[in-house]
Amino acid sequence: MRQLSAVDAQFLNFETDADVANIGGLAILERPLPLDHALTRLKDRVAVVPQLRRRLVPVPLGLDHPYWAEDEEPDLGRHVHEVTLPPPGDDVQLGELVAELHGRRLDRDRPLWEMYVIDGLAGGRGAVYTKLHHAAVDGVTGAAVLTALMDPVPGVPPPGPREPDLPPDGWTMLLRGGLHLAAAPAHLARFVAGAMPHLDQIPVLSQLPGAGRVSRLLRGNRLPELPRAVAPRTPLSGPVSERRGYAFAELPLPEVKRVKNAFGVTVNDVVLTLAAATLRRWLLAHDGLPDEPLVAGVPFALSAQAGDGNQVTIMTIPLATHLAGPVDRLRDVSAGMRALKERFGPAPASWLRELSGALPAALNGLADRAAFALAGQAFPPVNVVVSNVPGPQFPLYVSGIRLLAHHPVSVVTGVSGALNITVFSYDGRLDVGFTACSDMVPDVWDLPGHLRESLDELTSAAS
């Protein structure tokens, strides 16, 4: 009996035709994957990957968050499709196809995933694009699902079979929903009391007059200050359209590590700085660079377990896009990340989960949509989301075909900004995915070039 958490349900509640909550990945293969091989692999693996079997079961009257039910054998013919790119089958065409597929909402009457086996790529390569709903997985869990679909890895046992989860009957759902509704006021009161010393870490609330002063007063001097993060207006701000754009790039991980070692920072610091430099270049080209630094939303894992649903929170950090010098920018970003780590230590802030859980489920749908519309138009908390997901540092295979790269595809909304930059480390590289609203970022394929120039700039400074 597995129920969606309040955070998971939010990804269902805010979804519209424009704000689509799909996440996924574009796997580039050494050669095309035959459709029958893909279906055979999925038939073998679907029993041990519960996210591929689960479908939503709503609670009567919308009184509580939905439950998951598990289909024993989902109809793979309705989830797996084959697409052939027309000549010349280049990367831009592949990106356009992925963008079009990614912008389509998933059917909520079936398990929330789709897979597209793609051939016709230049160079004799193949590709597989997979998308899942964000209500079912986060970035870390999605990476675990990807690994589970690959060929067996020596020394790494595949996930074991699990007993299917069955939802409760309708009367039990109503009873549990009523109990949750009755407990909501006490839960909300506990959240408010616990959140007051940490107002400066909660997007939107941290921008309210006096929030920082109240936070400092209540927590005393036990915890360090956070860098102030107020998102300026840029060409990336505002409601997004239904149209998506997608581009991808690869960076050599050893080169990134040389920068890391030269300046005594972390790989994640370098990734954030590269994102900042890429954004600065793009904004300068569009005459839209603000005097204030852009603010990034950076996901943090809440649990070491790659469990079910979303086990992350999101924190904000200034990206130092106002600084022209690459080394100054790197040091500023690194200092901001150190402050976050010192503030939260081994337990990242869980304000998103706690705030979501404090609201009555029956009101969450309306509240989520209203809050999204208001925040996106009046005071968006971030300009961009930048995520760095660790992956395996050895080659993976699908039906004996080597995986050359795996580029993430993520979510853009009016609240999080018209661009999402997600990085997946794999086999000595950083595989980068740029997901955008194509009406606001029509030149998404300029971003890989800006990214490469930004790394060249840092490696030059490092040497």
Side-chain angles (χ1 to χ4, degrees), residues 5 52 95 114 120 126 148 154-155 202 207 216 219 224 259 271 294 297 352 375 387 444:
S5 72
L52 301 182
E114 289 178 353
I202 303 177
Q207 301 179 28
R216 284 192 298 273
R219 73 171 182 269
V259 174
V271 168
L294 267 64
L352 179 61
S387 183
V444 67

Side-chain angles (χ1 to χ4, degrees), residues 79-255:
H79 291 270
V80 184
H81 313 278
E82 187 174 25
V83 181
T84 299
L85 284 178
D90 59 26
D91 287 350
V92 174
Q93 285 177 284
L94 180 58
E96 290 173 350
L97 173 64
V98 169
E100 179 187 351
L101 298 174
H102 196 67
R104 300 177 187 173
R105 296 174 66 175
L106 288 160
D107 185 347
R108 295 190 181 183
D109 292 330
R110 303 200 300 263
L112 297 177
W113 66 277
E114 289 178 353
M115 177 180 289
Y116 293 82
V117 178
I118 305 168
D119 55 27
L121 273 69
R125 300 167 300 159
V128 177
Y129 162 66
T130 306
K131 69 176 178 182
L132 305 95
H133 200 283
H134 215 329
V137 295
D138 56 35
V140 174
T141 311
V145 171
L146 163 73
T147 304
L149 294 176
M150 297 294 153
D151 292 348
V153 177
V156 181
R162 298 174 58 177
E163 290 296 323
D165 287 319
L166 300 177
D169 59 53
W171 288 110
T172 303
M173 287 184 185
L174 287 172
L175 176 60
R176 287 167 59 93
L179 294 174
H180 292 163
L181 186 62
H187 194 161
L188 182 60
R190 287 196 301 271
F191 166 76
V192 171
M196 293 300 286
H198 304 286
L199 287 177
D200 59 340
Q201 76 188 36
I202 303 177
V204 179
L205 295 184
S206 64
Q207 301 179 28
L208 297 176
R213 187 162 51 253
V214 171
S215 180
R216 284 192 298 273
L217 179 66
L218 292 177
R219 73 171 182 269
N221 297 320
R222 296 176 292 109
L223 298 172
E225 292 290 321
L226 291 177
R228 182 163 172 75
V230 179
R233 283 281 173 178
T234 76
L236 301 173
S237 304
V240 299
S241 74
E242 300 174 20
R243 288 161 38 88
R244 291 291 174 266
Y246 182 70
F248 51 91
E250 295 178 17
L251 296 177
L253 186 55
E255 195 170 337

Side-chain angles (χ1 to χ4, degrees), residues 402-422:
R402 182 166 179 163
L403 175 70
L404 300 179
H406 184 267
H407 301 282
V409 196
S410 199
V411 178
V412 294
T413 70
V415 172
S416 60
L419 177 65
N420 181 299
I421 303 174
T422 304

Side-chain angles (χ1 to χ4, degrees), residues 270-293:
V270 179
V271 168
L272 288 169
T273 304
L274 291 173
T278 299
L279 289 164
R280 177 182 169 86
R281 284 177 159 82
W282 187 86
L283 289 168
L284 284 171
H286 290 263
D287 195 26
L289 181 67
D291 294 332
E292 305 84 8

Side-chain angles (χ1 to χ4, degrees), residues 333-346:
V333 168
S334 180
M337 288 301 297
R338 277 199 308 273
L340 283 178
K341 292 172 183 176
E342 291 171 5
R343 176 74 175 267
F344 304 116

